[in-house]
Amino acid sequence: MAHLVLVKHSLPAIDPARPAHSWHLAPEGRRRCAALAAHLAAYLPARLACSPEPKAAETAALAGASLGLVPHVVGGLEEHHRATAAFLGQEAFQRTMAAFFAAPDRLIFGEETADAAYHRFDTAVGQLIAAAPHETHIVVAHGTVISLFASRHCGLAPFPLWQRLGLPSFVVLELPALRLVTVVDTVASDGAVS
């Protein structure tokens, strides 16, 4: 049976002076990739694709090396475009994201509405699946776009799903129906999941 495995990247090194789309993995984030790969091995054989953002590309490269897969970088899989948004503290970021998901057709922050980010990501994922419809696809991307995609295809509430997804985490959908199989909230460096 084929699956779509949507992986939220591992823990980045947060730098408030730089936009989030340029962040790389923290040392702990790099360590967590081996444990992530161990969990993703259950979905082999698979194709591996990733966002061009460093934190996602590094997650894919490290996990892929353990799985014997070379990631294919795909435009359109990147996070909600927010390069112009100021760095927000945790509480302000949570409030902003709640508003973002609640008003998907309004520009809440950054350069894209939730609807625009969803359509971009949905198109990119759809093209990957269409190229190999009977194969499993592991896609390393970002929490916001994964939450938008999974919520709209599986009838989930997007904000609570976004809050659940740790660094790293993954959502598994059955293909071709895009039926939800499981959500793994967080993969720790010791391999524990929640």
Side-chain angles (χ1 to χ4, degrees), residues 73-131:
V73 176
V74 177
L77 297 179
E78 62 270 17
E79 181 60 294
H80 162 248
H81 294 172
R82 52 180 89 137
T84 59
F87 181 82
L88 299 173
Q90 188 61 25
E91 190 175 307
F93 188 54
Q94 290 282 325
R95 282 194 312 272
T96 301
M97 291 306 294
F100 171 84
F101 286 115
D105 60 337
R106 289 184 39 224
L107 186 61
I108 302 299
F109 78 120
E111 301 82 50
E112 281 183 313
T113 64
D115 284 343
Y118 162 75
H119 289 297
R120 170 181 48 78
F121 187 78
D122 183 63
T123 298
V125 170
Q127 290 170 346
L128 289 171
I129 294 169

Side-chain angles (χ1 to χ4, degrees), residues 109-155:
F109 78 120
E111 301 82 50
E112 281 183 313
T113 64
D115 284 343
Y118 162 75
H119 289 297
R120 170 181 48 78
F121 187 78
D122 183 63
T123 298
V125 170
Q127 290 170 346
L128 289 171
I129 294 169
H134 304 294
E135 295 186 38
T136 290
H137 298 267
I138 299 172
V139 176
V140 181
H142 308 273
T144 305
V145 289
I146 290 170
S147 297
L148 288 167
F149 183 92
S151 67
R152 294 184 186 201
H153 285 283
C154 303

Side-chain angles (χ1 to χ4, degrees), residues 1-4 42-45 133-137 173-176 179 181:
M1 177 178 300
H3 294 93
L4 172 63
Y43 300 98
L44 294 179
H134 304 294
E135 295 186 38
T136 290
H137 298 267
L173 307 174
E174 182 184 302
L175 293 176
R179 184 185 63 81
V181 175

